[in-house]
Amino acid sequence: SKAHNMRILMSPANIALQNAVTNLMSNENLPCTVIYDERQVYYDMLIWLKSSERGRVDPTRIGFHLEFHPDELFRGVHPVMLVDRSGGGGRPQQEEIVVKHMVIHAGVPEVNSDLCRVIAPQSAQNGWAILFPRYEDNFIGTAFTNGGNGGILHEFELTYYPLTADAGGYKLPSPDNVQGVDFTDLGNDKEIYRYNFIIKNHRNEDDYSTLISFAQSWSLTGAALDARLRLTTDMDEWLSAYAMVSLCGIADMYTFGNNHNLMTYIRPSDGRVLYFPWDMDFCFSQSATAPLVGDQNLGRIVNLPGNLRRFYAHIVDDINTTYNTPYMASWISHYDS
């Protein structure tokens, strides 16, 4: 009774079209109706499937991207709501919302999410889900001065590509492979950055200049690296976010598995880049004795002596205020129920 219901209705023809194996990766909008908590009806909405290429072949991980009408926003605020069912590795959805709770309480920039029970067009897609607002829709515009007008958001992601096709030549989403990059100097051509650093807002401007300067600075070493970071990167914010990601043992994450699942945001007030954690469903996956600092260029930057001391300070602060049984016990019980 504590959770919200999201009932999604589609025609049989569109259900079949959307879930055909060669259409699983399509971002084509199809019509739907959403009934929220069995009493508020949103008509003539748009929907496509949500999950990674590997998640969309598994009905238990398929989620939904829902677009609302401008004159009837979800909860009066959201033009889009992501219904996330991925639950990495078969884990329950409550695990990621516990991590998101800790991230927010620790002062890391993060959208507020909610648990729901989705009643999907196909019964195999029913079950627990997390309602995920997008950073670009409402969060950055209210969390930062002039945030929505001047700040550019990029999603750091892998490039997934299929390896097979059916008899008609249509690509099959599984099996697949991925290609990833680090935050590094890939040259000055924005086309080289485009598919691993996906621009999420101000797309018409197509401005990658600050992102490229930021990434190039991470290729430096020693004193030059430290000096450049002060100009391009809010290092304390990165260390704060990274501390909670490390404590929660999140796998399938930059430096702890794969080079993806974070957002970079260029703060308008000073042009420095912030780190927003994203898609933390493979949480509590690392060994309890795993290193606190991962690999790649971020690991190298965290291990700079001054940064490492600040990183450990964030770790200690998180343990004292958030990442502990006395604080989290009641919240874990709440989400579990």
Side-chain angles (χ1 to χ4, degrees):
S1 62
K2 294 179 181 180
H4 297 282
N5 272 3
M6 294 288 284
R7 186 182 294 272
I8 304 170
L9 306 176
M10 298 176 68
S11 71
N14 280 331
I15 293 172
L17 178 68
Q18 189 172 66
N19 289 276
V21 66
T22 51
N23 290 339
L24 288 175
M25 292 306 298
S26 173
N27 282 350
E28 180 182 2
N29 281 313
L30 293 176
C32 75
T33 294
V34 170
I35 306 174
Y36 179 57
D37 280 344
E38 308 301 339
R39 61 180 181 268
Q40 184 172 359
V41 185
Y42 297 90
Y43 294 104
D44 300 319
M45 288 181 48
L46 299 174
I47 185 173
W48 72 64
L49 299 182
K50 177 191 181 302
S51 191
S52 70
E53 188 164 29
R54 294 173 183 181
R56 293 196 201 190
V57 298
D58 180 356
T60 66
R61 294 185 62 190
I62 286 177
F64 306 97
H65 174 116
L66 300 173
E67 292 192 14
F68 293 80
H69 287 285
D71 59 350
E72 197 174 16
L73 302 176
F74 183 63
R75 294 183 178 173
V77 181
H78 301 290
V80 170
M81 185 52 58
L82 308 177
V83 181
D84 185 6
R85 299 181 57 251
S86 58
R91 292 166 174 79
Q93 291 294 347
Q94 288 95 325
E95 281 198 356
E96 184 171 4
I97 206 164
V98 165
V99 172
K100 286 170 67 64
H101 179 107
M102 286 191 281
V103 166
I104 291 171
H105 190 259
V108 176
E110 176 65 71
V111 293
N112 283 287
S113 296
D114 202 355
L115 280 175
C116 75
R117 184 168 67 100
V118 63
I119 303 162
Q122 290 189 324
S123 59
Q125 299 161 356
N126 290 346
W128 287 107
I130 297 181
L131 297 177
F132 259 95
R134 301 189 305 180
Y135 281 108
E136 62 266 34
D137 288 339
N138 179 257
F139 177 81
I140 57 176
T142 56
F144 301 93
T145 302
N146 201 33
N149 295 325
I152 300 177
L153 187 72
H154 294 269
E155 181 178 357
F156 181 46
E157 190 48 272
L158 300 166
T159 302
Y160 291 75
Y161 56 95
L163 302 175
T164 58
D166 67 7
Y170 294 100
K171 295 175 182 179
L172 300 173
S174 180
D176 70 354
N177 209 337
V178 296
Q179 171 268 339
V181 299
D182 199 351
F183 288 98
T184 190
D185 187 351
L186 300 174
N188 296 319
D189 183 358
K190 65 183 176 184
E191 300 304 325
I192 305 300
Y193 296 82
R194 182 178 303 283
Y195 296 104
N196 294 103
F197 302 94
I198 306 165
I199 195 165
K200 305 295 285 186
N201 63 347
H202 303 299
R203 290 177 175 174
N204 289 339
E205 297 174 18
D206 200 35
D207 183 1
Y208 275 77
S209 57
T210 302
L211 185 281
I212 291 172
S213 176
F214 162 75
Q216 289 176 338
S217 72
W218 283 37
S219 293
L220 300 172
T221 59
L225 171 63
D226 200 22
R228 187 65 180 159
L229 287 173
R230 299 174 192 272
L231 300 176
T232 65
T233 311
D234 186 334
M235 204 65 242
D236 198 63
E237 190 277 335
W238 276 76
L239 295 171
S240 174
Y242 193 61
M244 190 56 79
V245 167
S246 177
L247 281 172
C248 292
I250 301 172
D252 194 31
M253 181 71 80
Y254 177 50
T255 80
F256 295 115
N258 290 306
N259 290 6
H260 68 159
N261 288 340
L262 68 86
M263 303 281 187
T264 61
Y265 174 63
I266 301 166
R267 186 169 51 205
S269 61
D270 59 7
R272 292 197 294 171
V273 176
L274 307 181
Y275 168 16
F276 298 165
W278 181 251
D279 196 3
M280 299 178 285
D281 50 7
F282 282 86
C283 43
F284 308 113
S285 297
Q286 309 279 31
S287 165
T289 58
L292 289 171
V293 182
D295 56 12
Q296 305 290 341
N297 272 341
L298 179 56
R300 183 171 62 88
I301 288 169
V302 173
N303 277 313
L304 291 173
N307 288 342
L308 191 60
R309 287 193 295 272
R310 285 194 288 171
F311 174 68
Y312 287 154
H314 283 295
I315 291 281
V316 171
D317 184 60
D318 288 345
I319 291 171
N320 287 336
T321 62
T322 306
Y323 191 86
N324 60 70
T325 301
Y327 173 72
M328 284 305 301
S330 63
W331 285 108
I332 290 171
S333 176
H334 168 75
Y335 291 126
D336 187 47
S337 65

